[in-house]
Amino acid sequence: MSRAEKRANENEARAAALHWLQLLDTGDYEEAFEFEAQDFRMSRTQGQFVRLMQARRAPFGNALSRNFIGAAHVEKFVGAPEGNYESVLFKTAFAHKNPTAERVILIKQPIGWRVIDYRIY
């Protein structure tokens, strides 16, 4: 993969990650679930995902700021088949937790970048 292709992938993945995080910020967990990669979405129901985000993300409150830290291309990800993944990291300040790191792992699919994993540290 050329340097230009890597940069384009990183920029597209970062934009997709930000879109998905904004869905979480507004509490639109149902739509965020729909934005996950279908293969990974099948491992839980929409209701389970919504409950997980309500328990895991909602307690932090509103996102006050979010800054891009970096991204890394990954071909192997634990528990997933080999593929075209991008790990995107943000430093985020929330109303009830500050500072925090958010990591979004995405996979490139024919329909675009889709989320497969989300962590808050």
Side-chain angles (χ1 to χ4, degrees):
M1 187 182 302
S2 74
R3 174 177 260 146
E5 288 172 318
K6 286 181 182 179
R7 179 65 63 196
N9 274 342
E10 179 184 303
N11 289 337
E12 291 168 9
R14 177 172 40 165
L18 278 170
H19 171 75
W20 189 79
L21 289 169
Q22 289 167 350
L23 293 172
L24 297 185
D25 291 345
T26 61
D28 193 352
Y29 304 131
E30 292 85 0
E31 183 64 25
F33 176 80
E34 296 301 321
F35 200 73
E36 286 195 319
Q38 186 168 352
D39 296 353
F40 296 91
R41 214 173 36 196
M42 294 173 69
S43 66
R44 61 182 164 211
T45 67
Q46 185 182 62
Q48 289 170 324
F49 176 81
V50 169
R51 285 189 298 279
L52 174 67
M53 287 298 121
Q54 288 171 335
R56 189 169 165 203
R57 171 65 174 73
F60 296 138
N62 293 330
L64 306 175
S65 67
R66 179 175 287 120
N67 297 308
F68 174 70
I69 294 173
H73 176 76
V74 181
E75 291 183 7
K76 294 181 181 176
F77 183 59
V78 177
E82 199 168 306
N84 187 8
Y85 300 97
E86 200 74 26
S87 173
V88 185
L89 192 62
F90 298 93
K91 181 178 180 182
T92 307
F94 290 102
H96 305 298
K97 185 166 176 58
N98 187 20
T100 303
E102 291 180 293
R103 182 183 74 157
V104 182
I105 304 283
L106 303 102
I107 185 169
K108 189 165 190 176
Q109 297 188 318
I111 58 172
W113 289 95
R114 292 294 184 251
V115 174
I116 65 163
D117 191 48
Y118 171 63
R119 307 285 169 143
I120 298 177
Y121 305 99

